Amino acid sequence: MGIFIKVKHWFQKANETDGILDVSSEQVKLQVNIIDLTEYDLKLINILVRQSNPRSRELLMPFIKILQVPELKGIITVHSTVGRLRKTLITHMLSLFNGVIDDDFVKLRTKVAKTHYRIGLQPRWYSSGFQNVKNHLQRIVFEQTKNEDEQRALISAIG
Ligand code: HEM
């Protein structure tokens, strides 16, 4: 008698996951359209991050690297502490990947942008942090998928 192990593939898992893309701002709709972001992409990202949950704290590794920039260390010392910022970032990073982009999501992003502007954080450091997160997620995709179609879909969803 054979033993059957049911392996669910990423596409199948994504179909069983929530993905909501519902924004009212015309400007944000245009941005979403230009980068070809779909609800299905949100499902894929959601399942990828949830599935690799034990490693989700690693999503913060890029910041540990970035926070070594002397200018940034200075900003943190004045406005916060590394411990507090780390906590804020963990909660925030996980919420970024929960498969929902709606008006609340946009409102929160705007608040974060205003906070960073207020404390004088230059956009290049914010983008560098995200580029690093992207690199990290891409590594997870290549480690955890064998199927080329799934790799292509996941890498494109990460953007
Ligand atoms: C991908 C990059 C980043 C994300 C997603 C992020 C996210 C956030 C969030 C969610 C907040 C809270 C905003 C609020 O409630 O008003 C915040 C605040 C803050 N961020 Fe960032 N941040 C990023 C990069 C950085 C970097 C590189 C620095 C380095 C100086 C930094 C310094 C701060 C500080 C000092 C605060 C205010 C105090 C605090 O909450 O501890 N952030 N950030």
Side-chain angles (χ1 to χ4, degrees):
M1 199 178 20
I3 298 171
F4 296 95
I5 300 171
K6 196 174 175 208
V7 179
K8 283 194 183 176
H9 291 288
W10 290 96
F11 288 151
Q12 194 185 344
K13 290 183 211 165
N15 279 325
E16 296 162 3
T17 312
D18 285 337
I20 298 171
L21 184 43
D22 181 19
V23 289
S24 43
S25 153
E26 290 304 322
Q27 180 133 26
V28 179
K29 276 185 193 164
L30 188 60
Q31 274 179 281
V32 163
N33 199 284
I34 282 173
I35 62 168
D36 291 326
L37 184 68
T38 65
E39 271 184 0
Y40 194 66
D41 288 328
L42 298 184
K43 287 175 182 232
L44 281 170
I45 295 169
N46 183 4
I47 198 70
L48 177 73
V49 172
R50 273 203 286 146
Q51 191 80 17
S52 56
N53 195 34
R55 300 179 53 192
S56 60
R57 274 169 187 266
E58 286 178 33
L59 281 175
L60 285 190
M61 288 318 280
F63 299 102
I64 311 301
K65 198 167 166 191
I66 256 195
L67 297 184
Q68 283 155 14
V69 177
E71 171 192 332
L72 301 184
K73 267 191 183 163
I75 293 181
I76 295 167
T77 315
V78 173
H79 297 279
S80 185
T81 62
V82 173
R84 204 175 93 188
L85 188 57
R86 190 182 291 213
K87 246 188 185 161
T88 306
L89 285 173
I90 291 180
T91 316
H92 184 78
M93 290 312 287
L94 292 177
S95 82
L96 281 185
F97 301 113
N98 69 5
V100 180
I101 293 190
D102 57 10
D103 288 345
D104 283 345
F105 179 98
V106 175
K107 232 197 252 166
L108 191 60
R109 293 290 86 63
T110 311
K111 183 170 180 273
V112 173
K114 283 184 178 159
T115 300
H116 286 155
Y117 180 77
R118 180 172 51 79
I119 64 176
L121 178 68
Q122 295 200 34
R124 66 164 174 262
W125 298 122
Y126 189 75
S127 330
S128 309
F130 267 115
Q131 182 57 47
N132 242 312
V133 172
K134 242 163 82 170
N135 295 347
H136 177 69
L137 288 176
Q138 284 173 359
R139 272 195 297 276
I140 294 181
V141 170
F142 287 113
E143 276 167 27
Q144 302 202 2
T145 55
K146 295 200 170 55
N147 170 329
E148 243 182 67
D149 287 339
E150 290 192 332
Q151 279 174 357
R152 207 172 298 122
L154 282 159
I155 294 291
S156 151
I158 292 167

